[in-house]
Amino acid sequence: LSIQLPAATGIGIAAGWLLGLIGVLAHYLSVWYLREKDDRSFFVWFFRGLFLRFIFILALFSIVLVSTEIEQISFTLSFIISYILHSVIDIILIHKNYKKIPDN
């Protein structure tokens, strides 16, 4: 039993999934880099990074939609689902790592 998808749909799903993964990996790396900063520095740099990641993902999203001929609905839905799924995994990993850090 297999599902046959048109090539444009499959490429749209893969591109959306990859873009969602890139966004969440950028978040995880920024939290990992900022993990030992004091609270004030953490929030200043975290929100700057959040803004830059948002602009970066928005630019990539726009470039993919404008410059390619992939199916836009499959790409957009795949991106949203991928971003949510990877964000949940990211939160679980951060929570597990946070539990290992001793309180000062």
Side-chain angles (χ1 to χ4, degrees):
L1 181 67
S2 67
I3 298 174
Q4 298 284 330
L5 294 174
T9 301
I11 293 170
I13 291 171
W17 179 84
L18 184 61
L19 187 59
L21 179 62
I22 289 170
V24 173
L25 283 176
H27 174 259
Y28 184 78
L29 291 174
S30 69
V31 169
W32 182 79
Y33 174 74
L34 297 171
R35 72 186 183 280
E36 295 180 8
K37 303 279 186 195
D38 61 280
D39 290 343
R40 187 177 191 295
S41 294
F42 175 85
F43 283 109
V44 167
W45 286 106
F46 178 79
F47 286 114
R48 285 179 184 169
L50 181 67
F51 176 73
L52 291 175
R53 283 191 314 271
F54 175 75
I55 297 299
F56 177 70
I57 293 299
L58 183 63
L60 283 177
F61 191 87
S62 300
I63 289 168
V64 168
L65 286 179
V66 170
S67 66
T68 63
E69 294 187 17
I70 61 173
E71 189 176 295
Q72 294 178 357
I73 296 296
S74 63
F75 171 71
T76 304
L77 290 176
S78 176
F79 169 71
I80 292 168
I81 292 168
S82 171
Y83 196 83
I84 292 170
L85 173 71
H86 290 111
S87 293
V88 168
I89 293 169
D90 185 35
I91 290 169
I92 291 169
L93 288 174
I94 290 171
H95 179 69
K96 282 183 179 181
N97 289 337
Y98 180 73
K99 287 181 6 179
K100 293 178 185 177
I101 298 173
D103 291 334
N104 291 331

